[in-house]
Amino acid sequence: QTPIESKPDWLRTRAVVSDTYQEVRGLVREKSLHTVCAEANCPNIYECWNDREATFLVGGEMCTRRCDFCDIATGRPTEYDVDEPRRVAVSIKEMDLRYATVTGVARDDRPDGGAWLYAETARQVHELSPGTGVELLIPDFKGNPDALEDVFSSRPEVLGHNLETVPRIFKRIRPAFSYQGSLDVITAAAEAGLVTKSNLILGMGETRDEIEAAMAALVEARCDILTITQYLRPSKLHHPVDRWVKPQEFVDLSRLAEEIGFAAVMSGPMVRSSYRAGMLWGRAMVK
Ligand code: SF4
Ligand code: SF4
């Protein structure tokens, strides 16, 4: 390993195992439920599950796109499971979640890009668990207005679409997306009256000025909530880590983000875009 590949000390979490965490974990095991939190070994699981928050993936395990930071396999999906929204909604009910993030792969093999799966999951969660907040973290559906409208009309508490990086390196990092196209998804969601959210991953070669410009572009696009995270390289085949952003820089960027107009911000080395998402939504709502 080169020095840049070895993780600094601050990228460690302490596990505080609470009763609520144990209860949620027990339910997940007993009922064989699938969560991104457990299956991706997310280090934040003790905190998020203690808050009764978790993340679910829809659309299968194979993505039709390839982003240079993402660990999900690229290929041609073989299944399209119309029962998946119901199963996710049942899992959320069984785990007695307060807030659930639903994300998934890009399904460019489908005419609607898989939009129905996201929309139907939000509808079914709302029906089965009226008190549970739903955050949909969506791909861009190639900007297809009908697909976006279907998703927006399912009225998720938060509509997330991640910008992830800055224009100069965007094409290399997210070849099947576009910087402006992603900003447009956020604006369209805001125009539909939804609370909007996005994420920036640091450590992929961007400069501080470029990060600040991307933050300003997100505010301009009417993004309400921002998460800022550290890039971790899933494998040698993925984009190299350019730097480990110091904890203080995350604090500084968080302050700046609030100053320039974000309603709620979560910024830190261990943050993921779904980290304590319900708490962050609550913070945005009181603004
Ligand atoms: Fe990963 Fe999403 Fe990119 Fe697919 S579209 S490779 S799931 S980040
Ligand atoms: Fe689950 Fe996201 Fe929290 Fe990780 S950060 S435990 S994936 S909700």
Side-chain angles (χ1 to χ4, degrees), residues 126-280:
H126 281 147
E127 199 176 309
L128 214 56
S129 310
T132 302
V134 183
E135 180 162 320
L136 293 182
L137 172 58
I138 60 167
D140 62 6
F141 309 122
K142 295 187 177 157
N144 174 343
D146 294 338
L148 289 171
E149 172 49 31
D150 188 25
V151 170
F152 298 163
S153 69
S154 71
R155 307 312 294 172
E157 273 59 35
V158 172
L159 191 289
H161 176 68
N162 289 346
L163 190 58
E164 311 289 28
T165 194
V166 304
R168 182 175 51 82
I169 56 175
F170 196 94
K171 269 287 155 228
R172 201 165 78 230
I173 306 286
R174 303 206 92 186
F177 292 81
S178 83
Y179 184 77
Q180 188 57 48
S182 285
L183 293 172
D184 291 346
V185 168
I186 291 161
T187 307
E191 283 171 356
L194 297 171
V195 176
T196 57
K197 177 170 174 178
S198 198
N199 181 67
L200 290 171
I201 309 173
L202 307 190
M204 296 197 293
E206 71 297 324
T207 65
R208 173 67 183 245
D209 285 352
E210 288 174 323
I211 300 163
E212 293 185 12
M215 284 165 50
L218 281 166
V219 171
E220 176 88 356
R222 300 182 54 191
C223 181
D224 301 306
I225 304 175
L226 178 67
T227 49
I228 311 177
T229 67
Q230 166 71 54
Y231 174 54
L232 302 172
R233 189 184 201 182
S235 84
K236 294 263 182 246
L237 298 174
H238 290 83
H239 193 76
V241 175
D242 176 69
R243 65 185 179 124
W244 300 107
V245 179
K246 300 242 164 61
Q248 187 58 45
E249 186 172 347
F250 281 109
V251 173
D252 295 345
L253 285 169
S254 175
R255 284 207 189 108
L256 177 68
E258 282 176 6
E259 269 166 37
I260 66 171
F262 286 100
V265 183
M266 190 67 88
S267 167
M270 299 301 298
V271 169
R272 304 285 182 274
S273 65
S274 55
Y275 173 64
R276 307 194 72 184
M279 196 263 284
L280 205 51

Side-chain angles (χ1 to χ4, degrees), residues 36-37 42 44-45 48 53-55 272 274-276:
V36 172
C37 317
C42 183
N44 301 318
I45 194 165
C48 291
E53 298 186 6
T55 297
R272 304 285 182 274
S274 55
Y275 173 64
R276 307 194 72 184

Side-chain angles (χ1 to χ4, degrees), residues 103-141:
T103 185
V105 295
R107 290 293 305 252
D108 296 321
D109 58 314
R110 308 288 310 174
D112 72 346
W116 179 86
L117 284 173
Y118 291 84
E120 184 62 13
T121 306
R123 286 190 283 263
Q124 297 225 16
V125 176
H126 281 147
E127 199 176 309
L128 214 56
S129 310
T132 302
V134 183
E135 180 162 320
L136 293 182
L137 172 58
I138 60 167
D140 62 6
F141 309 122

